[in-house]
Structures are given as C-alpha cells and as structure tokens.
Amino acid sequence: MPQEFLKLLNRIGNDWVAPQSDSWIDVVAPADGSVIGQVADSGVEDVDLAVCAARDAFTEGSWSGLTAVQRADYLLKIADYLESHLSELTETIGRDTGSPARLATALQAYTPIIHIREFASMAPLLDTPVVHAVDGPVAPGSWRIEREPIGVVGAYVPYNFPLFEAVWKVAPALLAGNTIVVKPSPLTPTGVQELAKAAEAVGLPPGVINVIHGDVAAGKALAQNPGVDFITFTGSTAVAREIAASAAQNLTPVMAELGGKSPSVVLEDADLRMAIKGSLYSGLMNSGQACVATTRVLVPDHLYDEAVALATEYAEQLIVGDPSSEATDIGPVISRRQLEKIEQHVARAREQGAKVTTGGCRAVEVPSGGFYYKPTVVRDVTPDMDIAVKEVFGPVIAFLRYGTVDEAVEIANSTPYGLASAVWGGDVERAESVSARIEAGLKFINDVGGIDVTRTPLAGRKQSGIGAELGPDGLFAYTLPASTYLSHGEGRQSAAYVLVGSKWG
C-alpha cells in the first residue's frame, strides 16, 4: 500500500495555512532518497503572522491566566492523544528521520510522551510561591516570589530527534504559561506537525502553539522578530551564533543546547568490555546523530590495542539496513549532504595519519538511494587531528590513547565543546574525581544515556550551550520572577522613610 504524500502547512492561530509565497521544500526519506512530501518554505510575512497569533493568545490571557496545574491537564491530554496514535506516530517520524524501527518506537515516539507527563508533574513548582518573612528596621512584612510567564517563545527544533526535542521546549514553555512559535527542521518536520495536531485535537486555545515551517529565511525572521520574548534553540554552534546575533537586535534572550565532542574516558581498572560497549552505544546510536554522543574514546596505552579490537568487533556485529526492519541497528544518516560531510571527515582523518579499522565507507548492501554509512572505528587519533576536535554527527568513533590520568583529562578538555562526558572505572570514588575535572554539563560514570527531565538540568559548557534545559532550572528559564512585598506593620511606616523627610519618622 503506497504511503501518503505529505503536504505540511503552517499552523497559525486556529488555522493550517500555506506560506504567503506558495513556495515549498521537498522532504526526502533518508532510507531510499525518495521525496515523501513537501513542507512550507516560509518567510518574514509568515513568521510575523505566527508571532502575532502567539502574542494575541498570550495577551488575551486565557492560557497564561490558568494555573500551572490546569495547563498541566492539557499537557496530559496531549500525551494521551499521542499515545493513542502511537503506531501512526512511529511510522510518520520513522519515515523522515530514518531511525531504525526499535529506536523510532521507543525513543523517537514513545519517550516524548513519557516526558510530556513528567513535565506536567512539575506544575506545583509554579503554583506554589516562595514566601519570606522579614523583620527589622523596616516595618514587619513578607516577600512573595512568584514565577510569571515570559510571553512569546520562539523555538528551533533540530532534525535528529524532532518530537523529542520539541517536547523538551514546548512542554515547559506552555506549562509556564507562555505561547510559542515552533520552527522545525525542514529535513524532519513531521514530529512537530503531529504535536500541533494533538494540541488542536484536545482543545488547546488557538495561538498557544504555532508552527512555522521553512529553512534559513524563516529561522532568521523568527530570531529578528521584535514580538518574540525568548528564544530556545537546539542545533549546531555555528547556527546558534547567527541566531544569537539576530536576536541581539532586540536584546531577546537566547537559551541554546549545542554541539559536542564528548569524551568517554576508560580508566585502567574499568570493565573494558562494558566501557567499550557503552561508548559505542552512545556514539553510534541514531547513526551518531546525537549531540551528547561519546565520539572520542580515551584509553590507557596498555589497554589501547585491546580496546580498539573490541570496538572493531562490536561495530562489525551491527546490522546496517532498512530502518523499517526490526533487525536493523544502524539506519541512514539524514541526508546526502550529511553523508558527504562524514566521508570528508574520515578522509581528512586518514590524511592526518589516523587508521580506520572497520567501516570508513558507505554501506552498499542497503536500499538503493539511501544515505547509509558503515559504523566506523578510527584509531591512532591524536588530540590535534580534526576528527578529535570537530563534530562529525555520523557513526564514527575516534580512539585516542593516553599515558597518565592528568593527560586524559587534558585531552578530554581540549575541544571547544563541553556538553557530556563518561568515565569508566572500578574504583568509583576515583572515577568520580576524574569526572569532576572534565568540563561538561552532563556527566556519566560507568553508564551512559539516561536523563531525568524533571530533576536533571542539561547545561553545556564552553561552545556547547547557553543556559540550562530540563529540570527546575530549565522550567524556570521560561519564566520571570515577580517579587511582591506585603507590609504587616498595621499602620507603622518604614523606618527608612526618615531618610527622605525628617517629619516622616
């Protein structure tokens, strides 16, 4: 049965509308290179309409005027709706991301539903003000600190985990009482589209969630729009600089979760098999298209050859193929352009003296026309090589050797990034001390992968981020504090009044 050809419209206010220019961008399936649909190629006028719709919805107050618990009820309804359509959701997101079936079901489709519910559980953090009683030279009283919504949020969602990342932005922004304009990647637009459909189906007020599809023009227009009060961006560091520069014209604050070149440090007393399996899971999951992927594995000199041999063995066991198959471990990368970039990274590594032990080329025993690259292990990598510093965003793992732990820490910190890290060791206290010296916002010890969205903030260091997503810090990022003083003086004036007029004492 042929699959539906997608025609993705913008969602503005209460309507699904075509772009003003009537221009469209092809959506290409990574699995076979076929065009599976078209997405609106929006421009300044479209963005203006969406921001105005969000502003009207915010100013009108029917959403921001609800309690956080009431807004959480809407989020729970959205989660229930998505779960009731899980099969279709998995298929839709799997088509445009190319994620293997198991990953598409568990991580791309179902985990965001869990996270919506977890975000909803954070509502009491917003509905319970903090009260401080004060007494002293001024009249006795109390300060009440509440969290108020910022206003209109502009959200940029990356291509690698479209629904996952959209939920990480939309759920806390809406829970806090904001309205939002979401710009998905034109490469994987369906996750955000399905989220907006769910919001419509459960009766979310018009204008609370708006979706603007498009590419560079839409992204730049959203960042420059003076009606946007806050920007949340996930993507590359290079694009973040452009977004921040545009937002600076209006002094619009920007929160950004950016690229990484995360180290996985294997100590000499680590369970080597566990450490290598964990490092490869993190580095190769979703074809290496994950910002927190541990794509640099640092191993002591005397364990280096054994570690590389294990990594090569494990990588060669992985099945590269059609993402619709439950047997597939590694699916395609997102586009032909990204496939060519990966090839250039590996070619450059070879030029600089590194050696490929497995992979290092396109996979050809797969559906024709798709963008497949074999899981690749690169050895004899030194810290000054491009492959040790630059983010590849593909299924490529670089192995570096070290002599002392101090040298390992120095290598781990030698890139411009500081998003995530992993340390593996039998002496847990020692592993923790090594982890503490690594510049990263998300740190794992003897495991990788898990994040508790309600308690675990994600805050990159250096060029890996601005601000913090997730946890109470990430929720409060979508709010502004409002402080109110209430006098309990029963007719007493503040003793400070005399500083202005002596007769006021």
Side-chain angles (χ1 to χ4, degrees):
M1 180 178 178
Q3 293 177 313
E4 177 189 3
F5 186 84
L6 305 170
K7 193 79 169 183
L8 303 184
L9 303 173
N10 292 327
R11 174 72 178 170
I12 298 178
N14 205 33
D15 301 308
W16 296 97
V17 296
Q20 298 289 308
S21 64
D22 199 30
S23 297
W24 303 87
I25 301 171
D26 286 343
V27 180
V28 177
D32 59 11
S34 63
V35 177
I36 59 175
Q38 290 183 321
V39 64
D41 188 8
S42 305
V44 175
E45 291 181 349
D46 304 292
V47 170
D48 286 346
L49 290 171
V51 173
C52 284
R55 175 61 58 194
D56 289 345
F58 182 76
T59 303
E60 188 268 335
S62 63
W63 181 251
S64 60
L66 297 175
T67 66
V69 169
Q70 290 172 324
R71 294 191 290 265
D73 286 341
Y74 277 98
L75 293 180
L76 294 173
K77 291 176 183 177
I78 290 173
D80 291 344
Y81 178 90
L82 291 173
E83 186 169 10
S84 70
H85 294 77
L86 183 61
S87 178
E88 306 98 293
L89 183 65
T90 299
E91 181 180 357
T92 299
I93 297 177
R95 285 178 70 193
D96 69 1
T97 63
S99 291
R102 283 174 281 132
L103 184 69
T105 301
L107 197 57
Q108 293 281 18
Y110 189 61
T111 299
I113 295 170
I114 297 173
H115 286 176
I116 292 173
R117 293 178 176 136
E118 290 178 341
F119 279 118
S121 73
M122 300 173 73
L125 294 177
L126 298 170
D127 277 343
T128 307
V130 176
V131 178
H132 299 292
V134 291
D135 200 358
V138 298
S142 60
W143 281 102
R144 184 177 69 249
I145 297 93
E146 298 169 289
R147 290 282 173 173
E148 297 180 347
I150 298 176
V152 175
V153 174
Y156 296 77
V157 177
Y159 69 74
N160 54 340
F161 292 100
L163 180 60
F164 198 103
E165 291 282 357
V167 163
W168 280 15
K169 301 176 186 305
V170 172
L174 265 55
L175 182 64
N178 302 287
T179 57
I180 195 166
V181 178
V182 188
K183 198 203 88 62
S185 166
L187 297 172
T188 57
T190 61
V192 171
Q193 196 84 347
E194 294 304 313
L195 182 61
K197 288 181 182 178
E200 179 184 46
V202 304
L204 201 72
V208 174
I209 292 182
N210 306 273
V211 178
I212 285 292
H213 293 290
D215 204 349
V216 176
K220 187 173 183 179
L222 183 60
Q224 291 180 341
N225 194 293
V228 174
D229 300 303
F230 183 79
I231 288 173
T232 172
F233 172 86
T234 298
S236 73
T237 301
V239 175
R241 290 192 182 98
E242 298 176 7
I243 296 293
S246 295
Q249 298 177 28
N250 302 305
L251 295 180
T252 307
V254 175
M255 178 169 69
E257 193 259 286
L258 308 175
K261 193 70 182 177
S262 301
S264 183
V265 180
V266 181
L267 301 177
E268 64 271 13
D269 62 342
D271 180 328
L272 191 60
R273 287 185 175 272
M274 182 177 74
I276 298 305
K277 280 188 176 180
S279 300
L280 263 63
Y281 159 76
S282 172
L284 298 177
M285 185 264 294
N286 202 37
S287 298
Q289 297 170 123
C291 52
V292 297
T294 51
T295 53
R296 290 184 298 148
V297 184
L298 283 56
V299 184
D301 287 325
H302 68 285
L303 296 176
Y304 186 81
D305 289 337
E306 183 182 359
V308 171
L310 282 172
T312 302
E313 175 190 343
Y314 294 150
E316 289 177 346
Q317 292 173 2
L318 298 173
I319 298 173
V320 182
D322 187 343
S324 65
S325 170
E326 290 285 340
T328 295
D329 299 306
I330 303 292
V333 295
I334 192 61
S335 66
R336 188 175 307 280
R337 181 183 177 190
Q338 185 60 26
L339 181 61
E340 291 169 350
K341 284 184 177 180
I342 295 167
E343 290 179 316
Q344 292 166 6
H345 278 293
V346 175
R348 179 61 175 160
R350 284 175 162 135
E351 289 174 4
Q352 293 182 319
K355 296 180 177 63
V356 173
T357 66
T358 189
C361 61
R362 298 187 187 193
V364 294
E365 320 79 20
V366 290
S368 62
F371 314 128
Y372 298 87
Y373 198 82
K374 289 185 176 182
T376 299
V377 174
V378 185
R379 66 166 293 156
D380 300 338
V381 176
T382 57
D384 58 327
M385 291 182 182
D386 291 349
I387 198 80
V389 178
K390 296 183 178 180
E391 188 175 37
V392 176
F393 230 60
V396 180
I397 309 294
F399 273 75
L400 298 88
R401 64 172 75 235
Y402 69 85
T404 66
V405 170
D406 287 344
E407 183 184 356
V409 171
E410 182 180 354
I411 294 171
N413 292 334
S414 64
T415 76
Y417 300 109
L419 190 57
S421 68
V423 176
W424 308 82
D427 183 335
V428 175
E429 185 175 344
R430 181 166 178 257
E432 288 182 334
S433 70
V434 173
S435 178
R437 298 169 62 190
I438 297 175
E439 297 170 325
L442 182 64
K443 302 182 179 188
F444 297 100
I445 297 172
N446 290 332
D447 200 357
V448 287
I451 295 179
D452 179 345
V453 299
T454 63
R455 289 180 289 241
T456 306
L458 175 57
R461 306 297 191 260
K462 299 186 286 188
Q463 294 184 23
S464 283
I466 305 169
E469 280 195 314
L470 311 182
D473 299 88
L475 174 61
F476 292 157
Y478 293 96
T479 69
L480 291 172
S483 301
T484 303
Y485 179 76
L486 175 63
S487 173
H488 302 164
E490 299 180 358
R492 277 181 51 195
Q493 293 179 338
S494 169
Y497 287 12
V498 72
L499 299 177
V500 175
S502 59
K503 296 181 180 179
W504 292 4

